[in-house]
Amino acid sequence: MAEILKSACPLNCWDSCGFHVTVENDKIIKVEGDPSHPITKGKICGRGRMLETRTNSPERLLHPLKKVNGEFKPITWNQALDEIAFNLKEIKDLYGSTAVLHSHDYANNGVLKNLDQRFFNGYGGVTEIYGSLCWGAGIEAQKWDFGDAYGHVPDDVLASKNIVVWGRNVARTNMHFYEKLLEARKNGANIIVIDPLFNATAKIADKYISVKPGMDGILAAGIMKEVLRLGLEDREFIKLHTQGFHDVEKLVDSLTIEKISEMTEVSIENIQMLAKVFADRPTSTYMGLGLQRYKNGGNTIRLIDALVAVSGNIGIHGGGANYANLQVGQSFDIGNLTLSGSKTSHRQFSIMKQAEEVLAAVNPEIKMIIVTCGNPLTQLPDSSVVEKAFSSISTLVAVDQFMTDTARLADYILPTTTSFEEEDLYYSSMYHHYVNYGPKLVPAPGEAKSDLWIWTQLAERLGFGDDFTFSRNQWLEMTLQSLADKGITLDTLKERKTLELPVKPIPWSDFQFKTPSGKFEFTATYKGELTLAVPDESKWSNPELAQDFPYNLLTIHPLRSNHSQHYHLFPKAPQLKVEVAENIAADKQLKDGDLVRVWNKRGEVRGSLSILPKAHPNTINIDEGIWKQFGGSVNSLTSSRESDNGLGSTLYDCLVNLEKIT
């Protein structure tokens, strides 16, 4: 008999939805939204619904696999774990524990996915990756400005007179905020979208501003210049609660408004209009992740933060420089889970440059890579170098549910469970402040095992099994113990399924910032001044490159897949689509459906052309995440350079050329 059970979405995105999951005969039948969830209210996206297909797919990996003479052969769990543990022990004895690289990302947002760190810390400490392909430059930037990256609670947008959505297509990536925008607009709010692409969010805006990719920070500086020229700045906030304002004044004086308009390809009239919008408080700003994926990405977020501060929109209802909300994740006792103090060795590689660092590593060389929660062969930039690096080491282990591009390269594949086959807690670090409970709903197929089971078994073989002698219930209680005095316990969460976490609904309303000075820092205490930096790959910094490769390539999130996770599950095999601005199609006499080649010095991809209405001139988009078998990865084109602050990617800082294939 079918029953409907409450669960939660594990995908690492803005919304972290509540689910109603239909289960019959130990099988997931359907995934729908939970109408009682306080934020998501019964609406979920196609990526969430596809978790049913993901769980039931006949392509699931069901047994441990070992590559023998170039072909995968099923082996027992005992053999797989014994051999991997033997290799780990031998590597540690001969070369030290940092000869192992743990390559991971955040495909699954379950709290207990952090237990991989506990394992590697107990092993002695490995080579870890730092930074983020996704949002790292912006997080670091806001830490320089505010001391941390906090956002307003969802309902606060309803207090905004003006809402600026900057580089964030919430209709695709944050559908419940999109619903809030519709409500705010109905209540009389003025919505402005700033983006190189005229997207679904722009369609509901009162005003759409098209900006040259990578020039958002320069635009923010131009708007500040106009705010100051018109005398619309919040002098009291600046005087009492900020540091380094005189540096901002000098900075915006260094360029004319005409030059800013030329560089951003935004009209002077629109810059002046935006200055008045920001001064017409309360104005809220909601930034996307794409605009910080450039060499100048951290500085871009800092300039937008500065604009929000100068205009007096910090710490007030209906305001805010909303980029992320790390205070949500800070509610949990992750440090207790990971036992970071137990490691005795430590080395770090940049997530962006981990391939180059693997190839160049000495003292020790990398002998083994273990991949969890990610598909680096598809998702890391400059993918030809990634393939070379991951092929160069002695042993590659992939923990996954499917035969991804990375898994195909592995020596061992360990099949793991989906979220409906294990118990965990889920939350969003980017939008709302509720934690969701995800129970185990169905048994895992074949011999698939949870990540926790895998780490426990390996820890026992390596002599630190005592670090893992807890039940899953005890692990979850450990995670929540810092919240017990606020009435948030595992029993309560299991009963209610969703609980509100104790966050500040309006960050910085007391004007007590977490910076060294205790103030908002236009000039960061240790990191220096704002600059008018531009992307590395642009006519302003590299005119010769721009001459050969005149088009800006964006690689935005796909509509139906969470990064690379779902492409292979589509009813119809996906095809790489090359979306181009109208001027490119006109200049090259191209039409929808033409087969085209997109290339630069790093690589090339081929796909079917689609013309984008109202996209910024000379802009191309190819959705990221598509697998090699479907024409990807688009990351054969992207650069592995790091952002200006070293913690973000430069995936959008990419010039290409295009031609029709005849």
Side-chain angles (χ1 to χ4, degrees), residues 95 107 182 196 256 259 339 408 546 565 603 640:
Y95 309 103
L182 293 175
T256 66
K259 188 65 174 180
L339 282 185
R408 289 183 190 281
Q565 291 186 64
S640 64

Side-chain angles (χ1 to χ4, degrees), residues 234-242 309 312 314 511 513 520:
D234 186 339
R235 281 284 169 182
E236 183 178 4
F237 174 78
I238 293 168
K239 179 180 179 181
L240 297 177
H241 305 299
T242 73
I314 299 296
F511 302 124
F513 300 95
F520 177 91

